Amino acid sequence: MQRTHKTQTLKNLIAASAVFLAAGAAMAQTSPAPAAPPAPQAAPQGGPGHHHMGGRGDHHGGMMMKSIDTDGDGTISKAEADALFNKIDTNHDGKLDKSEMAAYRKSAWEQRRAEMKAEFESKFKAADKNNDGALTRDEFKAAFPRMADRFDKLDANHDGKVTMAEIQTDMQKMHKDRMDRMQRRGPGGASAPAAPSSSGN
């Protein structure tokens, strides 16, 4: 009975975690230094540079699968599922409580956000051919085609180039606006924000 309950709990956890990470990537996608992550239940919103294979859930669900499938055989064994359960069950009582789940979601989100931030910065640097710390419209479009229509908005000083600082400022403003909207809607009224990928295409 306990094993059945544990298995069902783990299935629910994997499903919830996949949804969280799928939604949860958002600010990191285009933000070099995003604001603090939202509360664990609130997932970040899909930014202009979101990259997906077929769909957002497919892409981030795949990332979740990869993180659990430690032997890379394309399936999750009971041993791998148990390893995830034990990782989250920090007090080792054989149960997952709300605080453990919240801590796991926060940790997974922060790790993914850091990875996407590094990926974005690497792509920005590679596109900056003359190493002046800024991208022209053409460089920006080549590196982040799905964000190309945001160039003029990101180019805050209208010098025909976009810097990491300008992108950071814009992303922080977007995040603040989103949080303000969520607060105005009240508890339970906000839709989950979507996830950014550093690919921008």
Side-chain angles (χ1 to χ4, degrees):
M1 183 69 180
Q2 185 177 0
R3 183 174 292 255
T4 304
H5 177 70
K6 183 174 177 179
T7 302
Q8 186 58 46
T9 301
L10 193 57
K11 285 180 182 175
N12 293 342
L13 161 71
I14 291 170
S17 297
V19 170
F20 176 80
L21 290 181
M27 283 310 292
Q29 171 173 317
T30 50
S31 171
Q41 333 46 322
Q45 186 90 322
H50 181 76
H51 170 72
H52 52 92
M53 305 279 296
R56 286 181 180 147
D58 292 343
H59 178 62
H60 294 288
M63 290 191 304
M64 181 65 188
M65 176 81 171
K66 187 176 178 182
S67 70
I68 302 170
D69 177 23
T70 53
D71 64 9
D73 69 351
T75 63
I76 297 174
S77 67
K78 182 179 182 307
E80 288 167 333
D82 285 346
L84 176 63
F85 186 98
N86 293 334
K87 179 179 179 181
I88 300 168
D89 180 22
T90 53
N91 65 3
H92 309 297
D93 66 353
K95 305 174 198 173
L96 302 181
D97 60 34
K98 287 181 181 179
S99 64
E100 288 171 328
M101 290 292 290
Y104 170 73
R105 286 194 302 261
K106 184 177 183 212
S107 171
W109 163 236
E110 288 176 348
Q111 179 180 343
R112 182 59 189 145
R113 186 178 65 171
E115 290 169 359
M116 286 189 290
K117 177 179 181 289
E119 289 169 15
F120 184 91
E121 290 175 345
S122 175
K123 184 167 277 202
F124 186 101
K125 188 173 181 180
D128 181 15
K129 303 302 183 188
N130 63 358
N131 297 314
D132 66 348
L135 300 184
T136 64
R137 185 183 299 273
D138 289 342
E139 287 173 332
F140 186 82
K141 183 177 181 180
F144 308 105
R146 294 173 76 86
M147 293 176 62
D149 62 348
R150 291 183 56 77
F151 184 89
D152 291 329
K153 184 175 187 302
L154 293 169
D155 181 17
N157 64 359
H158 309 295
D159 65 350
K161 298 178 182 179
V162 168
T163 65
M164 289 292 284
E166 286 174 323
I167 294 172
Q168 176 181 341
T169 298
D170 184 71
M171 289 298 108
Q172 288 176 336
K173 181 180 183 302
M174 285 176 62
H175 180 70
K176 182 180 182 303
D177 290 347
R178 184 179 304 120
M179 292 299 104
D180 289 346
R181 285 196 304 272
M182 289 171 69
Q183 285 180 351
R184 284 196 298 271
R185 290 180 194 171
S191 56
S197 112
S198 58
S199 66
N201 52 30

